[in-house]
Amino acid sequence: MEENRTRAVFHLPGLFEFYEFYKAFLELFYSHREYFYDYVELGSIYGSPRDTIWSGGRIEFNEASPEEVLSMVNSYNISCRLTFSNSLLREEHLTDKKCNDLCKLFSSGNVKNGVIVHSDMLSEYLRSNYPELYLVSSTTKVITKFEGLLDEVNREEFKYVVPDFRLNKAFEDLQKMTSYQKDKLEFLCNECCSFGCPDRKKCYEDVSRKALGIEGPDHHCASDILNEGYRFSKAMTNKGFISREDIEKVYLKMGFSNFKIEGRSLGSALILEFILYYLTKPECQLLVREELYLDNTLDLF
């Protein structure tokens, strides 16, 4: 049965690293709503500041304080998400002061904020100590079997679950999900990793190990795409890629509404390209590009 949704909610990368970019973009988005598709909403911006040991995924460099970031993003009624998806955490890491201080701060926001998690141990700790924060199950778990995804979605502690991108087109199984399950799925749209990559989990573990300061051999990705550097044009050829047309004509009609854009380490110029592609009406893309590139407070790269 089709369950048409009318809104596509996007979750954007670079909460800390792209603070200045989002400061300009969000003002533009809400002051010139006519530039952007009517069905598009902004649900959250995710990331974590450098030198936080609970972090997973890419390292963000930041100049703005967490207080500034939280205040600015929440002022637009947009949720902030801390990317605490380190997969190698041990119990002694739970007392880390910087990470706990961030959770305490983000629990106090005037909007419901969240944490993206991998570790079940951290999930339980956050539920006990910071119940105001909602939890998102991270794609770093690399759950590639649909039965495993259903088990994850059915866990009550998670408000959202980000599937491995290789399940993005499992339409026969996705269609059978209940409305409750569909509401919890958040699809990663623009992944560049090779569809058949066997080392995806090792790549995430390598980043987690470095965040914890644990020595070990560097993991060298064999993906041609990553060796060339991220190219949106190449990501578009990935079998798991979700296009804007797919969102509008397939996913919304199937009853899904949450979509995640990756790109925390890719630079603000490429983040702008994602925003132009997914959020902006074609006839307004030049206007948006000019507004942001000509903003003399920004250093797009």
Side-chain angles (χ1 to χ4, degrees):
M1 179 183 297
E2 290 192 348
E3 303 177 43
N4 287 284
R5 298 297 169 91
T6 59
R7 313 296 288 177
V9 182
F10 283 89
H11 306 273
L12 303 176
L15 177 63
F16 294 90
E17 182 156 2
F18 304 133
Y19 168 79
E20 293 294 342
F21 172 83
Y22 283 121
K23 189 175 180 181
F25 166 68
L26 294 177
E27 195 282 328
L28 178 66
F29 183 84
Y30 289 105
S31 63
H32 288 282
R33 198 62 184 82
E34 71 277 9
Y35 292 171
F36 304 94
Y37 292 109
D38 294 339
Y39 65 86
V40 162
E41 289 184 2
L42 303 180
S44 74
I45 304 176
Y46 65 92
S48 58
R50 63 179 179 269
D51 301 326
T52 46
I53 65 170
W54 294 357
S55 294
R58 303 296 174 248
I59 295 172
E60 291 188 47
F61 297 96
N62 58 293
E63 294 182 359
S65 70
E67 290 81 5
E68 289 175 306
V69 169
L70 178 67
S71 176
M72 188 273 290
V73 176
N74 279 181
S75 72
Y76 290 98
N77 203 35
I78 296 172
S79 177
C80 295
R81 292 181 180 176
L82 294 167
T83 309
F84 284 163
S85 55
N86 194 301
S87 61
L88 301 178
L89 294 177
R90 299 188 298 270
E91 188 171 359
E92 60 263 31
H93 297 135
L94 296 180
T95 58
D96 181 80
K97 184 178 186 305
K98 184 171 184 178
C99 294
N100 277 281
D101 286 347
L102 281 167
C103 288
K104 186 180 300 182
L105 172 65
F106 279 65
S107 294
S108 67
N110 63 343
V111 174
K112 192 81 169 175
N113 298 303
V115 183
I116 302 171
V117 292
H118 179 118
S119 165
D120 286 343
M121 179 183 64
L122 180 59
S123 295
E124 288 303 312
Y125 178 81
L126 293 172
R127 292 181 76 193
S128 297
N129 293 276
Y130 306 102
E132 300 86 357
L133 297 171
Y134 66 85
L135 301 183
V136 181
S137 176
S138 174
T139 190
T140 62
K141 295 180 181 180
V142 192
I143 300 172
T144 57
K145 300 296 184 182
F146 195 81
E147 295 78 8
L149 175 62
L150 281 181
D151 289 341
E152 195 75 2
V153 168
N154 289 333
R155 292 174 61 174
E156 64 177 15
E157 65 263 40
F158 296 125
K159 184 175 182 179
Y160 299 102
V161 174
V162 184
D164 187 273
F165 74 104
R166 286 164 286 204
L167 294 176
N168 283 357
K169 302 294 179 73
F171 294 128
E172 185 176 347
D173 291 319
L174 291 169
Q175 184 62 71
K176 297 174 184 177
M177 297 178 78
T178 65
S179 294
Y180 168 80
Q181 292 169 330
K182 290 178 178 180
D183 284 343
K184 292 180 72 170
L185 275 197
E186 184 179 309
F187 292 97
L188 182 58
C189 296
N190 61 328
E191 176 57 59
C192 65
C193 185
S194 296
F195 194 83
C197 177
D199 295 331
R200 188 165 172 81
K201 184 169 286 190
K202 291 181 181 178
C203 181
Y204 288 131
E205 289 176 351
D206 184 60
V207 175
S208 293
R209 188 175 66 250
K210 290 175 180 176
L212 291 170
I214 300 172
E215 293 186 2
D218 288 337
H219 171 67
H220 297 286
C221 181
S223 169
D224 291 337
I225 293 176
L226 289 184
N227 288 333
E228 293 176 354
Y230 184 99
R231 297 188 182 184
F232 195 22
S233 59
K234 288 291 184 69
M236 288 179 173
T237 67
N238 193 304
K239 288 194 293 184
F241 179 73
I242 297 177
S243 69
R244 190 195 65 77
E245 290 77 13
D246 290 335
I247 291 172
E248 185 177 356
K249 297 178 181 179
V250 180
Y251 289 89
L252 290 180
K253 290 185 177 181
M254 288 179 65
F256 298 101
S257 57
N258 285 284
F259 304 93
K260 180 176 182 177
I261 307 300
E262 77 162 18
R264 287 198 288 151
S265 62
L266 298 180
S268 51
L270 197 46
I271 300 302
L272 175 55
E273 291 305 314
F274 299 150
I275 285 171
L276 293 172
Y277 176 80
Y278 284 106
L279 277 62
T280 312
K281 297 174 183 176
E283 65 273 19
C284 299
Q285 289 180 1
L286 181 58
L287 293 171
V288 173
R289 187 180 281 111
E290 287 178 338
E291 287 279 354
L292 293 177
Y293 268 103
L294 295 178
D295 187 325
N296 60 17
T297 67
L298 295 179
D299 182 20
L300 277 78
F301 56 91

